[in-house]
Structure formats: C-alpha cells, structure tokens
Amino acid sequence: MQFTSKSQHSPKLAYSLSFDIEGMSCASCVGRVEKALRGIDGVLEVEVNLATEKAEVQLVREVAVSTLLNSLAKAGYTAHLHAENAPVQNTDASQRQDAMAVVAAAALSLPLLLPMLLEPFGVHWMLPGVWQFALATPVQCWLGARFYVAGWKAIRAGAGNMDLLVALGTSAAYGLSVYLLIQALTAQHAHSMPHYYFEASAVVITLVRLGKWLESRAKRQTAAAIQALQKLRPESALVRRDGVDMVVAIEQVGVGDLVVMRPGERIAVDGIILEGSSHVDESLITGESLAVARSIGEHVTGGAINAEGLLVLRTTAIGAETTLSRIIRLVDHAQSAKAPIQHLVDKVSAIFVPVVLLIALVTLAGWWFVSGDLELAIINAVAVLVIACPCALGLATPAAIMVGTGVAAQYGILIKDAQALEIAHSVGTVVFDKTGTLTVGKPSIVDLFTVAGSRADLLQLAATLQNGSQHPLARAVMEAAGAASITPLSATHITALPGRGLAGRINGVDYRLGSTRLMEELGVDLHDLQPRASAMENEGKSIAWLAAVEPNQLLGLFAFGDQIKPDAALAVQRLQALGIQTVLLSGDNQGSADAVGHALGIDRIIAQVLPADKVDKINALKQAGQRVAMVGDGINDAPALAAADVGIAMSTGTDVAMQAAGITLMRGNPALVADAIDISRRTYHKIRQNLFWAFVYNLVCIPLAALGMLNPMVAGAAMALSSVSVISNALLLRRWKPAGR
C-alpha cells in the first residue's frame, strides 16, 4: 500500500487513498458510501464518483485500510484498493453475462407482453394464470435477484437506493398477481379470469436490466481515454546488460539501464537517447499529430512509437514516475473528482428515495380511498416506484467530466481536477507569463551588424570565442553558426571577464566580445553602430559587441532576443474571439515586454513585476470581478498559478509549475489555452443539459405516475432510457477537436 502526499495548499491533509467500489447503482448509493467513510475517525473528506465507481478518501492521519473496507461492507458495498498501474481489465465476460441475462429476461417476458401487443389488432387472447406465473417467477426471483440483494443491503444500512425502489415496485405487482391467481384457483373464482400483472413485474425487470447493460456499455466508452493510455504501457523491454541484449519484464527495468528500441516498437521507458536517431510518434501523449525528430541527447517518453531508427536509451524513470504514469494519474484523478455543481445533486439524492417512498404510499392511500380499487392503487404506486430514477442525476455530472477530460487528454490538455474544468468555462481574463510561455524561452541571435568584414566572418569569430561555453548567449551564437554551416577556428588564451564578456586570441589577434561597459573600458569607438544598439535595447534585446585589440577596432554588434512562439499570436487572437481579455505579466523590462505584447496584440501589458508581486497582480485582477486564468511555465510562476482561479502550466516548464496548476498543456503550445477553455465550456454545457433533463424527468414523470397516467411497463422503459440518454449525451463530447484539427 502506498499513500500519496497531497498539495501544500491543503495543510490538514496527510494522505489520500483510492478505492474501487462494487454494487453502486444510483446517486443515493454515492451518498451512502460517502456517509460510511466520513464517519471514520481520521477521514477528512470523501468523493465518490458513480461513473467511475471509485471513492477518493482524504485522510488527516494513517487509517487502516481494513477499517475503511469494513465500514463499506457494513453499508452494503464491496471495495478494494485501486491499483494505479494495474493492466486494463477485460470486462467482456461480465458484459456477456449481463447481455445473456437481458436476453433470457426478454425471452420469458415476451409471451407475457404478447397479448397486450395483439389486442390493438382485435386479437383477444391471454395466457392462463399458471403459465404467466411460470414465466414471471424466474424473471422475478432469479434475474431480479440482484435488486433484492442490493435493496436488502440498503435497508440494513438504513438507507435506500434505486434497487430498493425496483424491488419494492416489482414485488408489489408480482405479489398482487400471485394473490389474484390463488384467489382464481379457489372454488369461488374457479370460472373467472382476473387480470394479472405478471407482465408488469417481468417487463420492468427486463427493461431495467437492459438499461443497466446499456449504461454499463456507455460508461466503458466514457473511460476510453484511461484505457487507451493504459494500453500504451509495454509489458517487456529489450535491455542491454554487459553487452548482451535480453528481453525482460518491464517491472525488472531499472533507472540507468540501457534499453534498445527497434523501429516500429512502442518505447518502453522514459529515457535519454545515447545512440541513434529517429522520428517518434507522441500523438497519444502530447496530442501532436506529426512525428517529431529525436536524436542523441534528447529525451523520449515511454508509450511513444519509434518510427524508423534503432535507438539505445538510458532509462531515466520507471513505474509510477514515468511521464505516462503521471499522465494517467492526472486523467484518472480528474475523472474521479467531483465538480462543485455535483454537490447540489448530492443534497437532492440524499433525500430522493425516502421522498419517492412517501409519494408511493400517498399514491396508494389516495387511489384506494378515492376509487376503492386496491388493485388500481397498487399499480399506480408501483408506477411511482419504478419511474423514479436517481441514476440519471448521479451520472449527469461525472459522465460529462469523464468524457471531457478524456478527449482533452487525447489532444495534449491534461486537466488535473473537475474543479478546474468547471471553473475554466467562466474565465474572462487570461494572464500570460512571457519567457517560455509566449516565447521560446532561450535567446537567439535576432540580428547582427558589421563594421568591417562579412556577417559570416563576424559570426565565425564570435563562435570561435564562445566554443565550449555553456552561457545561454554562447549557445545562441553556436546554434546560429551551426545553422549557417560555419566551423569555429582555433582559439587560445580564452578568458572570462565576469559581468562584462570574454577575451581570446585567434590567429595571433586578440579579440574582446562583451558588453558596452567592456568596450568603454577598452576605449573602443562605438559611434558607427550606437544608433543600432540603442534601437535594439529599446526593443528589449540584449546586445554584445565584438572588437579587435591593438589597435582597438569595432568589428560588429550582435542583438539577442527570445523568439516568439509560432502559435502565440493565434493563441491571443482565439482568446479575444472568445471574448476573453489577455494580459502579459512579465518580470522583464518594459521595452522587452512591450515588444512581445504589441507584436501579439495583447490587451494589457504589465512589466517589471517581481515573482513575489505576481500574486498581488493576479489578486487585483480577480477583485475586478473577472475569473482569471494564469498561464506560465517557471518556478517563479508557481505562486501566481496557484493564486489564479485556474492555473495553466506548460509541460515544457518546471514540475513545480505543473504541480501548482489545474491544467497542463503537454505540447507547450499557447494556442492550447483557448482549446482548454473551449472544452471546459462544452463540458459544462453538457453537465447543465444532463442535470436539466434529469431533474425535469423526475419532476414530470413522478406526478404523472402518481396520477395514474403511466403504467409500470412504460415507467420502467422511461427509467432505463433516462440513464442511457444522459450518458449518450455526454458521449457526444467525444466528437470535440481543437481548432484547426
């Protein structure tokens, strides 16, 4: 057993456990499970999801798992600890059993229903009562046994659920029919043929079981994202040990092991490429549809597909620490979490079954008193019990959240929790960090100017001096030289000049590469390029001068800048099209921030903000009455990400930022911000649709049943349809695609 530490934002929380729950059938069951677990000392909070059939338990101290399981057992439910890295379970066998049960129930019920189907055609025929009893009894006592078992557990726990309503309703119809049959077989009723209600009880059980089977199939589709991610885990890997390649189980691969990946194979581990190069398909992990080139020194992610090259990797992460496992945890947690709007449903569900039972009793008493017909009173009360369906209420929110978070994950948008998904739909302001979020995050040469010699010669001299340096500006020079196929010369006497630049000798000539201060100390005349330098600095660019020594001669000027990401402008345009205000919040100087902000058309630019002050700026925006999303990637962004209503982190940034954020963009593409808000809006819309129809269904149908306007068979069909329709509506979200796809 492994406990998972939680965020520092929940100081009272010590541990979290996840359980798979068996036997839940409706929203009332959710309330019972939560009540059973909350009553245990040490439990801080419980969230139960009907769609995933999981319970997330938050604890303030370590509690024995057996204590939690025993409490659930007393409440009438079987549970076990959720296995995070368990393989995808094959539920085809149980699905086939349920399907066969539905077929058997339908085969037994059809002869009972046939007289009613033939009557509109003038055919008046009815099975003898004994035959009806023989057909209905297996349906009631065998195929309907699950309702009795679950209903009895609910009674023992002092609560009610959908199974109890079905058991009571069908038992009343079946029991009344048995009573009438016994009466008919006695001497005084030997020549009469009363109307039996065996068909009502049998057909209701058949329809409810059909509805639960369809619901189960639909729920499997809502979990398709998790299943697809779990199937990405290879079961074995080709490991090179002592020069020998051997196939071992994935559990036996350790950090630092060399793993050989052949063309066409799914990459087994997270690792760094030591040998080879290839294109890697990461579409199911990042949502990027095109394969990306990977070569020596670059990182690859387990679960991706190696295209054409042979790769040798050094393993950097295994098991639960791999990127794929972390993604699965995030998606799993989001699908299991409870959205704030669901708490309203929980309050209704807590009193739903008792209220329905009361309405059924009032219906029974009222019809018996008004009509004097006990049979009619019982049938109308049965219709009330059968039509009432807390299932649709319980599935309305989690079904939409499961599909919404699942389809988002397929396109590289990881939504950590349901609260982030629900809040994101109402975001009115998106705040962007600059460096690494809207820009690439590393400097590059944006321009260079010469006084003497060619641009290529100038770049070659600079690359020769910078060769081997790890300074960000040095890497920018070397990348530019490499792109231009320029080979550095041989240099000697390379010396760093802290805070100013560096010195070196090339072919007997001393050179200096560095700041304006260094040039002034040397007495180099900067007049020829000073206007260019001032213009670059006003745009927020960093500059470096190159000069020859003895005599001091200015050779050229380099301007370094952080390039804007290709999709940054599109990201801003799409957000503005959604009616969302955009803000740039940067610690850089005003000139640098203005250059990026104006180039992208951002509505408001706030520069020279210290990391500690970013939270104050976020709070000020929130106090203006807008829901605020913060988009960032660095450690310095983490406080602001946590302070915003919704934090959106780039996966290309730090783990700290991703931990603080509610949403992570796996491709580091700012255009995904608008996609994240779009899927949030669509998911929230589905939640509202589902809840509306679930509430309306019960508000309309229960009174109709109480007024005698619905017979039990129609009620059973309507109840089955309500749950299936809610999940089917949620499944429409699977058609969503990001803009441009």
Side-chain angles (χ1 to χ4, degrees):
M1 178 186 69
Q2 182 176 359
F3 290 97
T4 304
S5 297
K6 287 290 182 179
S7 167
Q8 60 184 354
H9 303 295
S10 303
K12 295 182 179 179
L13 180 61
Y15 305 105
S16 176
L17 289 174
S18 180
F19 292 93
D20 295 313
I21 312 293
E22 297 177 9
M24 292 195 300
S25 60
C26 65
S28 298
C29 294
V30 171
R32 253 170 63 209
V33 171
E34 290 183 345
K35 182 179 179 181
L37 292 173
R38 284 197 184 107
I40 298 173
D41 185 34
V43 173
L44 176 65
E45 188 53 73
V46 180
E47 285 190 352
V48 177
N49 187 308
L50 179 60
T52 60
E53 298 180 330
K54 285 178 59 180
E56 296 287 340
V57 185
Q58 299 174 1
L59 308 162
V60 294
R61 59 178 178 79
E62 188 170 346
V63 177
V65 173
S66 58
T67 301
L68 299 169
L69 295 177
N70 289 338
S71 180
L72 289 170
K74 290 179 181 178
Y77 300 96
T78 303
H80 54 271
L81 272 175
H82 178 68
E84 184 174 292
N85 291 314
V88 180
Q89 293 184 354
N90 187 350
T91 56
D92 291 343
S94 60
Q95 284 283 307
R96 283 196 297 269
Q97 290 179 357
D98 289 341
M100 290 174 62
V102 171
V103 171
L108 292 169
S109 301
L110 185 59
L112 297 172
L113 189 60
L114 195 59
M116 294 182 63
L117 299 176
L118 295 176
E119 192 166 340
F121 299 99
V123 179
H124 302 286
W125 168 76
M126 182 177 293
L127 283 173
V130 175
W131 286 25
Q132 292 187 45
F133 171 79
L135 290 169
T137 299
V139 178
Q140 187 72 37
C141 301
W142 170 43
L143 299 171
R146 57 179 292 178
F147 301 113
Y148 287 105
V149 173
W152 174 245
K153 289 180 178 179
I155 292 174
R156 288 179 57 190
N161 59 9
M162 182 209 74
D163 297 304
L164 179 61
L165 297 179
V166 173
L168 288 174
T170 58
S171 295
Y174 178 81
L176 175 61
S177 301
V178 171
Y179 171 76
L180 293 175
L181 177 61
I182 293 173
Q183 290 289 85
L185 295 176
T186 60
Q188 60 267 35
H189 293 318
H191 301 290
S192 63
M193 175 66 90
H195 179 76
Y196 302 109
Y197 300 96
F198 286 117
E199 82 282 351
S201 65
V203 170
V204 165
I205 288 175
T206 300
L207 289 171
V208 173
R209 291 213 60 159
L210 173 62
K212 297 302 288 183
W213 177 69
L214 293 173
E215 177 186 312
S216 176
R217 285 191 64 194
K219 280 160 66 174
R220 288 177 64 194
Q221 295 180 52
T222 64
I226 284 287
Q227 293 172 358
L229 288 171
Q230 288 177 328
K231 288 178 180 177
L232 295 181
R233 290 189 177 116
E235 296 181 356
S236 62
L238 184 62
V239 177
R240 179 170 294 173
R241 292 174 179 166
D242 298 325
V244 178
D245 294 348
M246 62 186 73
V247 177
V248 301
I250 196 68
E251 294 81 9
Q252 298 176 10
V253 180
V255 174
D257 277 349
L258 299 183
V259 176
V260 180
M261 300 309 309
R262 292 168 293 200
E265 290 184 333
R266 193 172 294 281
I267 295 175
V269 296
D270 285 9
I272 300 293
I273 299 176
L274 299 183
E275 299 176 20
S277 62
S278 182
H279 282 80
V280 177
D281 180 358
E282 301 174 342
S283 57
L284 282 176
I285 298 170
T286 66
E288 175 59 63
S289 57
L290 299 176
V292 292
R294 293 285 184 258
S295 58
I296 294 174
E298 293 188 297
H299 183 271
V300 292
T301 302
I305 298 175
N306 176 30
E308 75 282 356
L310 181 70
L311 302 177
V312 178
L313 317 175
R314 176 181 287 118
T315 304
T316 58
I318 57 173
E321 299 306 314
T322 62
T323 300
L324 179 60
S325 293
R326 290 162 62 192
I327 291 173
I328 291 174
R329 279 200 301 274
L330 282 171
V331 178
D332 197 20
H333 175 72
Q335 294 187 340
S336 300
K338 185 175 293 185
I341 196 172
Q342 180 67 20
H343 294 293
L344 170 64
V345 178
D346 293 343
K347 292 179 181 179
V348 173
S349 301
I351 60 171
F352 186 88
V353 173
V355 168
V356 170
L357 290 173
L358 179 61
I359 293 174
L361 287 174
V362 171
T363 300
L364 175 66
W367 277 97
W368 192 9
F369 176 78
V370 171
S371 67
D373 188 339
L374 180 59
E375 290 182 27
L376 180 62
I378 290 175
I379 291 304
N380 288 336
V382 167
V384 170
L385 292 172
V386 171
I387 197 69
C389 182
C391 299
L393 285 174
L395 291 169
T397 299
I401 287 174
M402 284 185 70
V403 181
T405 54
V407 73
Q410 292 175 13
Y411 291 103
I413 302 169
L414 294 186
I415 301 171
K416 186 185 297 184
D417 53 50
Q419 184 170 357
L421 180 70
E422 183 174 326
I423 293 175
H425 87 277
S426 59
V427 164
T429 299
V430 171
V431 179
F432 287 100
D433 169 55
K434 182 177 76 70
T435 305
T437 302
L438 293 175
T439 65
V440 175
K442 61 179 183 179
S444 62
I445 296 178
V446 295
D447 213 339
L448 57 88
F449 309 94
T450 65
V451 175
S454 68
R455 291 166 62 95
D457 290 340
L458 186 71
L459 185 56
Q460 185 178 46
L461 290 173
T464 302
L465 294 171
Q466 297 278 25
N467 194 13
S469 173
Q470 295 302 311
H471 190 279
L473 297 186
R475 288 198 293 268
V477 170
M478 299 309 298
E479 287 179 3
S485 300
I486 292 174
T487 304
L489 303 172
S490 176
T492 60
H493 299 85
I494 298 294
T495 305
L497 306 174
R500 293 173 295 168
L502 56 83
R505 181 175 297 171
I506 305 172
N507 295 332
V509 179
D510 288 328
Y511 294 92
R512 300 291 185 270
L513 176 65
S515 65
T516 302
R517 176 185 171 189
L518 175 62
M519 296 298 111
E520 290 173 346
E521 290 177 355
L522 294 172
V524 177
D525 183 5
L526 305 178
H527 180 267
D528 290 343
L529 295 179
Q530 188 63 60
R532 301 274 193 180
S534 298
M536 292 291 103
E537 288 182 316
N538 289 336
E539 293 179 6
K541 305 296 190 297
S542 299
I543 62 171
W545 306 87
L546 178 62
V549 182
E550 297 178 1
N552 291 334
Q553 179 185 4
L554 179 65
L555 300 179
L557 170 70
F558 293 86
F560 298 89
D562 191 3
Q563 291 184 343
I564 295 174
K565 289 184 176 180
D567 294 309
L570 176 63
V572 174
Q573 292 168 10
R574 289 187 54 207
L575 289 171
Q576 291 170 340
L578 292 173
I580 296 172
Q581 181 188 31
T582 55
V583 177
L584 177 61
L585 185 63
S586 175
D588 289 351
N589 62 69
Q590 192 69 51
S592 178
D594 284 343
V596 173
H598 293 153
L600 298 178
I602 289 177
D603 299 312
R604 184 179 176 189
I605 302 167
I606 305 174
Q608 295 176 308
V609 181
L610 296 174
D613 296 331
K614 285 188 176 183
V615 172
D616 295 334
K617 298 297 183 182
I618 293 293
N619 289 333
L621 291 170
K622 290 167 64 176
Q623 290 169 6
Q626 288 277 16
R627 283 283 178 92
V628 177
M630 171 69 190
V631 188
D633 74 320
I635 293 175
N636 61 330
D637 297 322
L641 289 168
D645 294 302
V646 180
I648 303 176
M650 300 287 184
S651 67
T652 50
T654 64
D655 287 344
V656 175
M658 286 185 278
Q659 287 293 329
I663 299 174
T664 298
L665 308 181
M666 290 303 295
R667 293 204 302 277
N669 181 351
L672 289 176
V673 174
D675 293 324
I677 293 174
D678 182 49
I679 187 59
S680 170
R681 289 183 175 183
R682 292 173 185 268
T683 303
Y684 190 71
H685 183 62
K686 286 297 181 187
I687 290 173
R688 294 182 64 180
Q689 281 183 344
N690 284 348
L691 288 176
F692 172 79
W693 289 113
F695 276 112
V696 166
Y697 164 84
N698 284 290
L699 289 174
V700 172
C701 292
I702 291 177
L704 289 177
L707 293 172
M709 300 175 69
L710 292 175
N711 68 53
M713 287 182 290
V714 173
M719 187 194 77
L721 181 63
S722 66
S723 297
V724 175
S725 63
V726 161
I727 297 181
S728 299
N729 187 44
L731 285 171
L732 293 176
L733 282 170
R734 296 176 67 183
R735 299 185 299 182
W736 177 85
K737 292 182 179 180
R741 287 298 186 101

